[in-house]
Each structure stands twice: as structure tokens, then as C-alpha cells.
Amino acid sequence: MADVLPLVEARLRSALGEPGARAAVTFLGTDRIEVLRFQDGDIVRYATLGMSAQPMNDPTAVVADPVKGARAELVLSVRAGLAETDKVLRPLAVLAASPQVEGLIVAPGASLDVGEPLWPGAPFTSVLVAEPGGLVEDLELDEPLDPVRFLPLLPMTPNEAAWKRVHGAQALQERWLTNGTDLRDPSRRSVPLD
């Protein structure tokens, strides 16, 4: 079975350009997770590389399928120079390792929480997983492998995360849209929720 990570990196490079930096994090009992940093004008994008090496499997399954199952990488976009967003590398790697560590299946509409600010002074401790396909197209793999999906992450304040748990991801995204929320602003305030 071909290693999918070189194909994933090639797709990221074709969509986002050459990475300006990369860092690797390894957690006990997991594969190495890299985070690549891409600069596009005043936007900096962080993309994980390594989460898609293994398919995500149902944690209740007796035996994990080594071939079939959803594969994904995470992409976070923020405005450059407004905060120490490069410190998001470890929290992003933690989120990317969560399918291996916790048996999570990361899918659009899910909330992922790191339990601490995403970067120093960030008003966000969690992210909403958005629909793929906009920034980086899905990477089709040879049968029987599922395609790799590149899932955008939208930072959420604790209040937004709590509101989303009650009202759902769609309602929160509509609230952001209605209020013209700049989801790439690394220091934005919570959207009005009443």
C-alpha cells in the first residue's frame, strides 16, 4: 500500500504553495504529526500532515480496519502579524493526533477542544470543523482507500462553543455570517449570541 503522506503534501503544495516552515510533534503511541505553515499575503495557513496516514475508525469497532475509513488533514487560516499564531503548532498537532489517541472520527460540524488557548492570548480554546473542498480539494486515493479530506478549522470562543452545543454548527455558522464575523481575525470577540 502506497504511503499517502507524500501525495497529501503534494496536494497541499499545489493548493497553497511552498511551505515557509514546518514543525513535527510526536506523541507517545502515535505516528509523527507535522504542521506546515503557508503564507499568502496577510493570511497564514497551518496545515497538518500525518493525520491521514491511518484511516479514522469507529472507536466501538472490535478491530480497526487498516485500509477503509475516513482520512483527513486539518487547515487553519488566520491573519498574520496580529497575534503569536505560530504557537498554534502543538495544539493543531494534538487535534490531528486525536483520532489515534482518542479514537475520534473528525468530521464537519464537530467541535474539537484543546482545553487551553490555541496560541498565547487567544480567545479560543476550540475549533469548529467546517466543510471541506473550498481551499484544498479532496485527494482521491486508489481503491479501496477513502479520499483524504482537508477540513478547515474555525476558531470558537468558549461562549460560541457552548452555544453551538445547544443550537448546532449550522446555527453558529449562520450567526457568524449574519454578523459579518471575520473568522480569520486571531483576536476577534465572540459573536453576539442572544
Side-chain angles (χ1 to χ4, degrees), residues 21-181:
R22 64 192 311 145
V25 180
T26 305
F27 302 100
L28 188 62
T30 67
D31 295 330
R32 181 172 122 142
I33 303 286
E34 287 189 87
V35 179
L36 283 57
R37 182 184 190 275
F38 300 88
Q39 185 85 33
D40 181 16
D42 71 332
I43 302 295
V44 62
R45 302 185 198 285
Y46 302 94
T48 63
L49 179 63
M51 182 176 169
S52 62
Q54 304 294 325
M56 293 182 273
N57 285 286
D58 182 347
T60 62
V62 177
V63 177
D65 190 324
V67 177
K68 292 294 287 173
R71 292 175 190 260
E73 296 291 352
L74 308 175
V75 181
L76 174 69
S77 301
V78 293
R79 296 208 180 282
L82 302 177
E84 290 184 81
T85 56
D86 280 352
K87 302 281 173 83
V88 77
L89 301 178
R90 185 167 177 75
L92 265 183
V94 167
L95 296 178
S98 62
Q100 288 183 58
V101 175
E102 300 174 33
L104 294 178
I105 296 179
V106 178
S111 299
L112 303 174
D113 196 317
V114 294
E116 61 184 34
L118 292 176
W119 52 82
F124 319 106
T125 59
S126 62
V127 293
L128 174 65
V129 180
E131 291 291 332
L135 187 60
V136 184
E137 288 183 29
D138 292 354
L139 173 64
E140 296 295 329
L141 300 173
D142 294 337
E143 290 291 332
L145 302 179
D146 288 13
V148 176
R149 302 170 83 198
F150 297 88
L151 303 172
L153 300 180
L154 307 175
M156 292 188 294
T157 66
N159 285 346
E160 290 169 340
W163 197 85
K164 182 251 173 199
R165 280 193 293 278
V166 173
H167 300 281
Q170 185 66 36
L172 178 58
Q173 289 178 302
E174 287 171 10
R175 181 68 52 121
W176 282 334
L177 191 59
T178 301
N179 285 277
T181 305

